[in-house]
Amino acid sequence: MAANIEFTAYARGAEGRGANRRLRRAGRAPGVVYGGSAAPQPIELDHNALYHALRTEAFHSSILTMKLDGTSTKVLLRDVQMHPFRTSILHVDFQRVDESKPIHMKVPFHFVNGEISPAVKLSGAIVSHVLTDIDVTCLPRDLPEYIEVDLSKLDVGHPIHVSALALPPGVKVVTRGKVDPVVAAGVIPKAHVEVEEAVPAEGEAAAPVEGAAPAAEAKPGEAKPAEAPAKGAEKKEAGKDEKKK
């Protein structure tokens, strides 16, 4: 089950860009809570408290308890608008939760046992996390905080698909496009492959360089042919002969 996280919100009276700018200067973050039978209600939250809450994974994937005007309401975080280059929250949206109706939520993956998988231990591969989260549908009471992905049997050439995941009871995966997408795979680094290809097998001679002439080998009992003297040396010898004459 997802963690029980509480936060405090306050009713927001004034609306509009000017009012929102004044809220932000006062250390508040504007927001709204909607859904259910009640009308959408503008709210405001402590900016620093909300900013630190948003840095936790569970705040994005759990059913939250919002305390507003002395009452507690179950909500989901639906949208956060951040300033393009400042660490400032411009607006936040929450949705009320109906305990009797299924919800659609994005849940993160937690990968375990990758270091003991055959892909890593035997093949020297690295684990590629193709997906980091997944869309699920379930009743609010069944919403998990995360889905664990066991990599202990991951091998090169045999990736883990969504269909192999152990889902909590009452949770169904919602996929789009591919019927059974890959969650994780073992990938051998390119540099490792190139090194293995470059090293010749035991007992094999290294491959000749392309375009190079084969070296001449002397037969047993035959002397190697003498190397031709350099052109400069020929001129010096000719000069000595002339002086002697």
Side-chain angles (χ1 to χ4, degrees):
M1 288 295 295
N4 183 21
I5 301 176
E6 298 182 353
F7 68 96
T8 302
Y10 308 90
R12 176 164 55 98
E15 298 183 57
R17 293 184 179 179
N20 289 345
R21 282 196 295 267
R22 289 191 292 272
L23 273 178
R24 296 185 193 107
R25 285 196 294 267
R28 299 278 185 164
V32 65
V33 56
Y34 60 88
S37 57
Q41 181 175 358
I43 58 173
E44 60 183 76
L45 304 91
D46 180 86
H47 182 277
N48 289 341
L50 177 61
Y51 178 78
H52 288 292
L54 289 172
R55 297 180 66 182
T56 63
E57 182 185 71
F59 196 80
H60 294 260
S61 58
S62 302
I63 295 177
L64 312 171
T65 301
M66 181 183 69
K67 294 184 176 180
L68 175 65
D69 294 336
T71 62
S72 296
T73 306
K74 299 293 184 181
V75 298
L76 292 171
L77 176 65
R78 282 308 189 189
D79 186 51
V80 179
Q81 299 175 25
M82 300 292 297
H83 193 278
F85 53 88
R86 298 176 185 170
T87 55
S88 175
I89 303 168
L90 300 180
H91 198 273
V92 62
D93 295 0
F94 295 97
Q95 180 186 1
R96 299 183 185 96
V97 172
D98 187 340
E99 296 288 345
S100 62
K101 295 182 179 180
I103 58 175
H104 181 214
M105 199 70 178
K106 191 178 290 292
V107 177
F109 287 132
H110 281 193
F111 297 90
V112 297
N113 298 326
E115 67 281 358
I116 64 172
S117 66
V120 175
K121 291 190 68 176
L122 302 181
S123 303
I126 59 175
V127 178
S128 173
H129 299 161
V130 182
L131 296 179
T132 57
D133 52 36
I134 194 74
D135 289 327
V136 302
T137 181
C138 61
L139 289 173
R141 64 173 179 269
D142 297 327
L143 179 66
E145 183 178 341
Y146 59 86
I147 294 176
E148 188 172 273
V149 181
D150 185 6
L151 302 174
S152 60
K153 296 182 180 179
L154 177 67
D155 204 349
V156 176
H158 299 281
I160 295 177
H161 293 262
V162 167
S163 59
L165 300 178
L167 299 175
V171 177
K172 294 181 180 180
V173 170
V174 179
T175 59
R176 298 180 181 86
K178 294 182 179 180
V179 178
D180 193 14
V182 172
V183 176
V187 179
I188 297 179
K190 184 178 179 181
H192 182 66
V193 175
E194 290 177 348
V195 169
E196 286 186 346
E197 291 178 349
V199 177
E202 186 178 353
E204 292 183 1
V209 179
E210 186 177 353
E217 295 184 1
K219 295 181 179 179
E222 291 183 359
K224 292 185 179 180
E227 296 183 359
K231 290 184 178 180
E234 291 178 353
K235 290 182 179 180
K236 288 182 180 179
E237 291 296 332
K240 288 180 181 179
D241 293 341
E242 290 293 331
K243 288 179 180 180
K244 288 180 179 180
K245 289 180 181 180

